[in-house]
Amino acid sequence: DSGVTQTPKHLITATGQRVTLRCSPRSGDLSVYWYQQSLDQGLQFLIQYYNGEERAKGNILERFSAQQFPDLHSELNLSSLELGDSALYFCASSVEPSSVGQYFGPGTRLTVT
Amino acid sequence: KNQVEQSPQSLIILEGKNCTLQCNYTMSPFSNLRWYKQDTGRGPVSLTIMTFSENTKSNGRYTATLDADTKQSSLHITASQLSDSASYICVVSLYFDQTGANNLFFGTGTRLTVIP
């Protein structure tokens, strides 16, 4: 158990819908990262927050957005969902913003039908 | 072109045998290079982390090496077990001020299958 929690574990929704994925970092970690992993694909970095502020952006679509709240939990919002958005979405956390010592959560499996 | 490439893409070995996975990267210098193990449908778990100046790092039956001259890292697994069946991912982290943005570069992984 990495100490990073993600909810829900599974999510099935229809195209065009909007969903919110939630992540709670390890106790004491200030930085949160979001990744997308499509079937048989590598991890794609989406976005990073550090202590509530956006720190770095990767290959995140405009239909996706994220935020980190004062209690340091983070939410990833996916809107106007398409079939191709079906993937595993991982959250990771670290103490520092430099991603050293990054711990991954168990992931949320999103299926868009 | 991916800046972190791993080989082989997949590998099948017999239980008890050793194997070596390769990671070639283009960036230099960098902050650290990590190897992760990812079981199917689970989050990656860190195996080793090496700074740019380190040559080797061990974690039980896993030993990672780093050759800054050839820009290669290897992950050697000894006495493989069935539970080693997973994807192994190489990740290079740049110093944040090198990019000001995305500083993580992931390989696409090697899928290892250990058979009895």
Side-chain angles (χ1 to χ4, degrees), chain A residues 35 37 45 90 99-100 104-105, chain B residues 34 38 42-43 102 104 106:
Chain A
Y35 297 88
Q37 188 175 39
F45 169 69
F90 289 104
S99 80
V100 174
F104 281 80
Chain B
R34 281 170 285 175
Q38 185 180 22
R42 307 289 293 273
N102 177 17
L104 292 172
F106 287 78

Side-chain angles (χ1 to χ4, degrees), chain B residues 3-14:
Chain B
Q3 296 187 57
V4 179
E5 295 192 336
Q6 293 186 241
S7 62
Q9 206 169 17
S10 61
L11 183 61
I12 300 174
I13 62 172
L14 289 173

